[in-house]
Amino acid sequence: MRPFLRGLEVFAGELPDFDPSTAPDTPAELFVRWLRHAVRAGVREPHAMTVSTVDAQGDPAARVLILKDVDQDGWRFASDAHGEKGRHLAEHPYAALTFYWSALARQVRVRGPVVREDPERAAADFLARSPGARAETLLGKQSRPLADLAERDRAVARALALLERDPERVAPGWTLHAVRPEAVEFWQGDATRRHTRLRYVRTPEGWRTELLWP
């Protein structure tokens, strides 16, 4: 596989410029700017991100989730408190988020402590999900062993029927999490490997920026 992998093209096509001197004062502002650029460029699911957590023993796990919101208070995602993510965050409330838009050779890394949002906001998030997504969550069996796909389909059908009778039902463990960033890094790839890296670091006085070597 090594020759095959080394033969795959990277950083192809026309890539956007990134001048760190024009970066705004806060990482949330720059992130929104880059996210909107990704949408205009036709990047599929630009709000998808890798969420990395660790368990009580320090063993890491990562999975891809959808960003629910972002503002000066943090980056938000949702999960079932009884699933792996929820258990990890209960044991070690800290996470890292990674966004990668390959067509633009852009990456954003966010890390910091995680706090639970108000239950009312979590309930609103749950009710905004599709019926299928709500039905799956109501099962409360995420990451548990499954005998076969037919068992899954029967359980989801029962949950959908329950939602038809009670459309305002909210999964009791549904939680909206907010990552309060301590550091946010913006990485712009370059075909000649002269990558540009800008990191925001939170200080008592506010955000400080610094350039990093590629």
Side-chain angles (χ1 to χ4, degrees), residues 103-161:
L104 304 174
R106 280 184 167 175
Q107 178 179 227
V108 180
R109 301 167 60 202
V110 183
R111 58 181 175 83
V114 180
V115 299
R116 291 188 175 193
E117 296 279 271
D118 293 336
E120 293 78 12
R121 297 188 70 176
D125 176 81
F126 183 82
L127 294 174
R129 291 163 61 84
S130 69
R134 282 182 284 148
E136 185 274 331
T137 303
L138 283 173
L139 300 179
K141 297 183 177 181
Q142 187 182 55
S143 301
R144 297 181 184 178
L146 174 67
D148 55 51
L149 297 183
E151 178 187 12
R152 175 204 63 189
D153 294 342
R154 289 191 297 269
V156 170
R158 291 193 296 269
L160 284 170

Side-chain angles (χ1 to χ4, degrees), residues 51 53-56 61-63 65 77-92 116 136-145 171-177:
V51 179
T53 57
V54 297
D55 63 16
R63 73 290 289 168
L65 297 180
F77 63 93
S79 70
D80 185 347
H82 306 297
E84 181 187 66
K85 294 181 295 297
R87 295 194 304 272
H88 283 190
L89 291 171
E91 297 163 344
H92 189 78
R116 291 188 175 193
E136 185 274 331
T137 303
L138 283 173
L139 300 179
K141 297 183 177 181
Q142 187 182 55
S143 301
R144 297 181 184 178
W174 192 249
T175 306
L176 189 62
H177 302 281

Side-chain angles (χ1 to χ4, degrees), residues 173-189:
W174 192 249
T175 306
L176 189 62
H177 302 281
V179 178
R180 304 284 198 237
E182 294 178 338
V184 183
E185 181 189 325
F186 294 83
W187 180 93
Q188 174 63 67

Side-chain angles (χ1 to χ4, degrees), residues 5 26 28 38 43-44 61 74 113 119 133 148 160 163 180 198 212-213:
L5 293 173
T26 69
V43 175
R44 292 189 58 183
D148 55 51
L160 284 170
L163 285 175
R180 304 284 198 237
L198 176 69
L212 303 175
W213 281 92

